[in-house]
Amino acid sequence: MKTRRIQNLLAAALVGALIFTTTIAHAQEPLPSWNDGPTKQSITDFVAKVTKEGSPDFVPVAERIATFDNDGTLWCEQPMYFQLFFALDRVKTLAPQHPEWKTKEPFASLLKGDVKGALAGGEHAILEIIVATHAGMTTAEFEKIVADWIATAKHPKFKRPYTECIYQPMVELLAYLRANGFKTFIVSGGGIEFMRPWTEKVYGIPPEQVVGSSIKTKYEMRDGKPVLMRLPEMNFIDDKAGKPVGINSHIGRRPIAAFGNSDGDQQMLEWTQAGSGARLMMLVHHDDAAREFAYGAESKIGTFSDALMAETKHEGWTVISMKDDWKTIFPLEKN
Amino acid sequence: MKTRRIQNLLAAALVGALIFTTTIAHAQEPLPSWNDGPTKQSITDFVAKVTKEGSPDFVPVAERIATFDNDGTLWCEQPMYFQLFFALDRVKTLAPQHPEWKTKEPFASLLKGDVKGALAGGEHAILEIIVATHAGMTTAEFEKIVADWIATAKHPKFKRPYTECIYQPMVELLAYLRANGFKTFIVSGGGIEFMRPWTEKVYGIPPEQVVGSSIKTKYEMRDGKPVLMRLPEMNFIDDKAGKPVGINSHIGRRPIAAFGNSDGDQQMLEWTQAGSGARLMMLVHHDDAAREFAYGAESKIGTFSDALMAETKHEGWTVISMKDDWKTIFPLEKN
């Protein structure tokens, strides 16, 4: 009997040790939603070499800057940029105060749900929509409008909040880089004040580390209280050749790692690569029609042109295949 | 003999303990260059209440944002802004390539050492000087020009590098706030790319936490390498009503503490104060002709107008008297 008890105790201890070891292994696995392979390896190899003191590739913590595009890189951008869904909902909300929109483009088309027709007016139409939906209020008022919308609106295809249409593998990548001393920044063509109300909660990226497009603001006194009014005038477009300009203006240091998914990110990756020392440039490729969307060269949103693909190969940048490299696309998803 | 030895040992231990205690006390004293009194007390009281968990004034670490003006707040700004000394030295260096400057204003006056005459041309003259000395090169080239200048140039009165004409009490304040979880930012009317090459080393403030005035830059390929060219065009003036705009654009959060010294900081302090919860607004008053300079309402540089003083009193902002509140002005100084 005594021997049996000892055996039982030993067995229990062994099982316990196994569970313990597995848990530890799981906790230490930094990128659980990434499949093993050369893509994941290129990330872990890069991080290992820039963080290893004494290595020729070592980078001091203060210089570990990583920049991420948002639309199509950190969250979904189809069937259209989420900020456009926001603008569309704003137009519907504001329509009763603007009876003239019933016959005035681009609003007439938008109110009929014809986004393509509304955008046929090109840049002028887009500016009109932005002015009508993003300007004419204080920064604090706009922040609340965005926060209320993002808390309730849902993606038409995935039927979940937009903030849950983020890519789980990229969220893990952000956390992994930060755990290795990196400062993570968003550098997006999207509106800076459209992102800031939720990026800290959703990505762990605080407002001061968000770079984006902006409209002008003006300091004013309203009822004896200072406010910043959002003016109907573009200030900065943080896209394509604007991304290195935005990075220089906001961060003032060159990133050592940059992540994008489209032609809009080409210059950010070039600018990152042109620094000295170890660099990591990666582009998410949307090749997963079953779990998300498949699009590339021919797409109007998130164009990944043949020219960009050629440059990617020529420069040795890494393409992330959503289909092959990611176990999971969205958080909390059952695969 | 034995008793004597024990006595000696005890005495040595006591002396050791005293030295140890004094050292500890010194290490714990966070603002050694500040005289005790209500000004210093207002700082330590504020920090105590916003960092005390459970207190009604508690502020989470992520929201502990403190903004500092630079010229006249963190470093000296007399007899003229140090960036103007830089521009003057640049004009002298570049003069051989510009024989036409001998007869062309504002350069002709500058080359004769007549700064007042050069600036008589007003904003147009200043813009001409900025364009000639701050534009037409890449951002990397400009960074090197600034770094080389700041490493060698000396203040005409104090005969020490400009980076040693910083205020020791403010350097201690920056460190004290950071030790209490604050993120410290510079928000200056000075050029953002004039400050970034040295603020990390001198103040412990990294480039991404520097907000300032800027000229436009443009992304270009030069010999197959991407560069940002500095264009002869102003982008943003981070002064007066521009400071809240710059804070909103770069930080995206309202500061809970703000430090300035002149009319250029008035709106930054108003914007800081207008948030909810505990706030700290302070203005350095240059009232120490013996150790630095004494100037205020009548000064063209760093004007502290009667209107600002009235608002300061009305709003309960704190005036820092250099003469009364600071034991030391500059670092490594023997008082």
Side-chain angles (χ1 to χ4, degrees):
Chain A
M1 285 299 266
K2 206 179 167 191
T3 313
R4 174 72 62 83
R5 230 164 79 198
I6 289 170
Q7 276 174 342
N8 282 349
L9 276 170
L10 270 173
L14 270 170
V15 170
L18 270 170
I19 290 169
F20 181 73
T21 314
T22 315
T23 310
I24 289 291
H26 188 76
Q28 283 179 337
E29 160 60 67
L31 300 167
S33 300
W34 291 72
N35 287 315
D36 289 331
T39 307
K40 182 176 176 176
Q41 191 75 36
S42 70
I43 297 170
T44 50
D45 284 355
F46 172 77
V47 169
K49 70 183 172 187
V50 299
T51 56
K52 193 184 169 188
E53 271 192 80
S55 135
D57 293 313
F58 177 74
V59 176
V61 166
E63 290 164 29
R64 292 183 202 158
I65 303 288
T67 55
F68 290 79
D69 170 58
N70 184 42
D71 297 310
T73 299
L74 292 182
W75 75 356
C76 176
E77 62 183 349
Q78 299 288 358
M80 62 180 184
Y81 295 129
F82 294 176
Q83 195 169 355
L84 212 48
F85 282 117
F86 166 75
L88 184 54
D89 285 349
R90 283 291 295 157
V91 166
K92 284 179 192 156
T93 304
L94 295 169
Q97 299 159 241
H98 294 274
E100 75 281 8
W101 283 358
K102 276 181 196 152
T103 53
K104 193 187 166 201
E105 289 299 346
F107 306 102
S109 294
L110 272 189
L111 289 171
K112 279 180 260 167
D114 177 13
V115 177
K116 208 175 153 190
L119 299 185
E123 272 188 32
H124 181 73
I126 292 172
L127 193 64
E128 277 220 70
I129 296 168
I130 291 175
V131 165
T133 58
H134 287 64
M137 72 288 279
T138 69
T139 51
E141 286 162 354
F142 185 70
E143 185 182 340
K144 187 176 179 326
I145 290 166
V146 172
D148 288 349
W149 180 82
I150 207 101
T152 53
K154 289 197 173 177
H155 189 278
K157 178 178 170 180
F158 301 116
K159 313 287 180 205
R160 48 161 69 201
Y162 291 104
T163 48
E164 290 176 22
C165 299
I166 59 175
Y167 303 135
Q168 178 62 21
M170 297 304 281
V171 173
E172 292 166 8
L173 176 55
L174 287 166
Y176 173 58
L177 290 174
R178 286 194 294 261
N180 282 282
F182 281 76
K183 240 183 189 173
T184 53
F185 288 81
I186 289 174
V187 178
S188 167
I192 191 167
E193 300 211 56
F194 175 73
M195 296 182 280
R196 281 174 164 166
W198 49 269
T199 56
E200 188 155 35
K201 194 175 153 195
V202 171
Y203 301 134
I205 296 179
E208 62 268 28
Q209 285 161 226
V210 177
V211 184
S213 297
S214 56
I215 61 177
K216 286 195 190 292
T217 63
K218 186 169 183 286
Y219 183 79
E220 284 178 12
M221 283 288 168
R222 212 167 65 171
D223 304 327
K225 267 251 185 184
V227 295
L228 287 170
M229 286 303 297
R230 291 174 57 81
L231 306 183
E233 192 186 340
M234 283 308 297
N235 178 55
F236 179 64
I237 297 184
D238 188 54
D239 200 28
K240 300 185 192 282
K243 289 206 176 189
V245 172
I247 287 169
N248 185 62
S249 162
H250 274 256
I251 311 177
R253 282 198 233 250
R254 196 188 297 258
I256 65 166
F259 305 85
N261 77 300
S262 78
D263 287 14
D265 304 308
Q266 180 189 348
Q267 290 84 354
M268 175 168 74
L269 268 63
E270 289 171 353
W271 179 244
T272 300
Q273 181 178 34
S276 58
R279 304 279 145 169
L280 181 64
M281 283 69 57
M282 303 188 95
L283 288 163
V284 175
H285 193 210
H286 294 264
D287 56 1
D288 195 333
R291 294 188 299 174
E292 201 234 12
F293 294 95
Y295 58 97
E298 74 305 334
S299 175
K300 282 205 175 177
I301 290 171
T303 316
F304 195 136
S305 67
D306 295 339
L308 177 60
M309 188 58 94
E311 183 171 354
T312 298
K313 284 182 181 154
H314 183 261
E315 300 296 343
W317 299 344
T318 305
V319 173
I320 299 166
S321 162
M322 292 182 79
K323 198 173 156 204
D324 298 333
D325 291 320
W326 289 356
K327 278 184 198 155
T328 314
I329 305 290
F330 300 127
L332 314 168
E333 192 181 42
K334 285 173 190 71
N335 281 293
Chain B
M1 283 299 266
K2 209 181 168 189
T3 312
R4 174 74 62 83
R5 229 168 77 199
I6 288 170
Q7 278 174 340
N8 283 348
L9 277 170
L10 270 173
L14 270 170
V15 169
L18 270 170
I19 290 169
F20 180 74
T21 314
T22 315
T23 310
I24 289 290
H26 188 76
Q28 284 179 336
E29 160 60 68
L31 300 167
S33 300
W34 292 71
N35 287 315
D36 289 329
T39 307
K40 182 177 177 177
Q41 191 77 35
S42 69
I43 298 170
T44 50
D45 283 354
F46 171 77
V47 169
K49 68 183 173 186
V50 299
T51 56
K52 193 184 171 188
E53 270 193 80
S55 134
D57 292 314
F58 178 73
V59 177
V61 166
E63 290 164 30
R64 293 184 202 156
I65 304 288
T67 55
F68 290 79
D69 170 58
N70 185 42
D71 297 310
T73 300
L74 293 181
W75 76 356
C76 177
E77 62 184 348
Q78 299 287 359
M80 62 180 183
Y81 295 130
F82 293 176
Q83 195 168 356
L84 211 49
F85 282 118
F86 166 75
L88 184 54
D89 285 350
R90 284 292 294 158
V91 166
K92 284 179 192 157
T93 304
L94 295 169
Q97 299 160 240
H98 295 273
E100 75 279 10
W101 284 356
K102 276 180 197 152
T103 53
K104 193 186 165 201
E105 289 301 344
F107 306 103
S109 293
L110 272 189
L111 289 171
K112 277 179 262 167
D114 177 12
V115 177
K116 209 175 153 189
L119 299 186
E123 274 189 30
H124 181 75
I126 291 173
L127 194 65
E128 277 220 70
I129 296 168
I130 291 175
V131 165
T133 57
H134 287 64
M137 70 290 276
T138 69
T139 50
E141 286 162 354
F142 185 70
E143 184 181 341
K144 189 177 176 324
I145 290 166
V146 172
D148 289 349
W149 180 81
I150 206 101
T152 53
K154 289 196 175 175
H155 189 278
K157 177 177 171 181
F158 300 116
K159 312 287 179 204
R160 48 161 68 199
Y162 290 105
T163 48
E164 291 176 21
C165 299
I166 59 176
Y167 304 133
Q168 177 64 19
M170 296 305 280
V171 172
E172 291 167 10
L173 176 55
L174 286 167
Y176 173 58
L177 290 174
R178 287 194 293 261
N180 281 283
F182 280 76
K183 241 183 188 175
T184 52
F185 287 81
I186 288 174
V187 177
S188 167
I192 190 167
E193 301 211 55
F194 175 73
M195 295 182 281
R196 281 175 165 164
W198 50 268
T199 55
E200 188 156 35
K201 195 175 153 198
V202 172
Y203 300 134
I205 296 180
E208 62 268 27
Q209 286 162 227
V210 177
V211 184
S213 298
S214 57
I215 62 177
K216 286 196 189 293
T217 64
K218 186 169 183 285
Y219 183 79
E220 283 180 11
M221 282 289 170
R222 209 167 68 169
D223 306 326
K225 267 254 187 182
V227 295
L228 286 170
M229 286 302 297
R230 291 172 58 81
L231 307 183
E233 191 185 342
M234 282 308 295
N235 177 55
F236 179 63
I237 298 184
D238 189 53
D239 200 28
K240 300 184 190 280
K243 289 205 175 189
V245 172
I247 288 169
N248 185 62
S249 162
H250 274 257
I251 311 176
R253 280 198 235 252
R254 196 189 296 259
I256 64 166
F259 305 84
N261 77 300
S262 78
D263 288 13
D265 304 308
Q266 180 190 348
Q267 290 83 356
M268 175 168 75
L269 269 61
E270 288 170 353
W271 179 244
T272 300
Q273 181 179 33
S276 58
R279 305 278 145 170
L280 182 64
M281 282 69 58
M282 302 188 95
L283 289 163
V284 175
H285 194 210
H286 294 264
D287 56 1
D288 194 333
R291 295 188 299 174
E292 201 233 14
F293 293 94
Y295 57 98
E298 74 306 331
S299 176
K300 282 205 175 177
I301 292 172
T303 317
F304 195 136
S305 65
D306 295 338
L308 177 61
M309 188 58 92
E311 183 171 354
T312 297
K313 284 181 182 156
H314 183 260
E315 300 296 344
W317 300 344
T318 306
V319 173
I320 299 166
S321 161
M322 293 182 79
K323 199 175 156 204
D324 298 333
D325 292 319
W326 290 358
K327 278 184 198 153
T328 314
I329 306 290
F330 301 127
L332 312 169
E333 190 181 42
K334 283 172 192 72
N335 280 295

